Amino acid sequence: MRIGIYPGSFDPITFGHLDIIRRAAKLADRIIVGVAAHSGKSALFSVDERIKLLNTALEQGDFPKDCEIIVEGFDTLLIDLMQKHKAQMVVRGVRQYSDFEYEAQMSALNAKLSDYDIETIFLAANAEYQSIASRFIKQVAELGGDVSPFVPKHVVEALGNIQGINSTKL
Ligand code: PNS
């Protein structure tokens, strides 16, 4: 059984993330979308809110039926989540070359930390989604811009519902 983990902050989920989930689902029998409590960034949405936004997006979207997609929060090391699920691969989306430096470092670190074989699979972001980053989405939303080209409708609403987004979190 091929089990993959797609970890991230997902603060909030974007069309770019959903595209990676859809494509990762073609490569595995089960994909665990791991919503990290510890990503080194302060988050706008709580882990529970991010999970809820993700699950709604997965219910509404069209995803490969032969892959089980599970959303789970984690506050441990990624490699511990992998071990818990007996996952063999990490999936990460890469937009620009500059993303790759950080990703390569993280992949090498995880390989070193883990005491069993894991592989990181990098999926090149679809050209259509290359400009999408959750960090920018939050900024655009805070400044009154239209984020509907980048995130599902319920996420647009969730961003709109946050009164006076705290700019220290962007
Ligand atoms: O979407 P992001 O913020 O780029 O994702 C980063 C993430 C969550 C994949 C990374 O910070 C992570 O794996 N955090 C869990 C804690 C961990 O294992 N840290 C060591 C590897 S950086």
Side-chain angles (χ1 to χ4, degrees):
M1 175 130 169
R2 291 163 308 155
I3 303 174
I5 305 253
Y6 176 37
S9 305
F10 306 109
D11 184 45
I13 182 80
T14 67
F15 287 140
H17 296 133
L18 291 169
D19 180 56
I20 298 291
I21 295 174
R22 197 170 286 117
R23 289 161 56 201
K26 293 186 207 153
L27 305 175
D29 303 299
R30 181 180 298 152
I31 289 286
I32 290 110
V33 182
V35 180
H38 300 292
S39 67
K41 304 169 189 163
S42 64
L44 179 62
F45 294 100
S46 69
V47 170
D48 283 350
E49 286 168 330
R50 287 180 262 157
I51 291 174
K52 223 168 149 192
L53 292 173
L54 253 157
N55 276 325
T56 304
L58 292 174
E59 279 158 25
Q60 292 174 352
D62 190 17
F63 293 87
K65 299 283 175 278
D66 50 357
C67 176
E68 186 184 6
I69 304 174
I70 299 166
V71 180
E72 189 173 308
F74 72 106
D75 59 4
T76 61
L77 281 174
L78 174 61
I79 53 156
D80 293 333
L81 182 72
M82 294 192 71
Q83 211 143 22
K84 173 182 165 195
H85 286 283
K86 297 186 172 34
Q88 307 93 348
M89 65 173 174
V90 182
V91 177
R92 292 283 288 171
V94 177
R95 287 162 301 207
Q96 328 284 348
Y97 183 72
S98 53
D99 280 350
F100 188 74
E101 285 182 45
Y102 166 71
E103 294 298 333
Q105 230 176 347
M106 201 157 65
S107 141
L109 177 74
N110 285 328
K112 200 97 178 154
L113 285 175
S114 69
D115 55 4
Y116 74 113
D117 267 350
I118 59 167
E119 293 294 344
T120 303
I121 311 289
F122 298 114
L123 295 181
N126 186 312
E128 204 184 326
Y129 304 121
Q130 264 176 12
S131 63
I132 307 183
S134 299
R135 190 161 60 91
F136 297 141
I137 306 283
K138 286 180 278 190
Q139 206 167 78
V140 172
E142 192 208 11
L143 299 173
D146 177 17
V147 290
S148 61
F150 311 117
V151 296
K153 201 161 167 271
H154 68 285
V155 177
V156 176
E157 283 160 13
L159 283 164
N161 286 340
I162 291 182
Q163 296 293 312
I165 294 178
N166 180 351
S167 54
T168 59
K169 290 186 168 184
L170 305 179

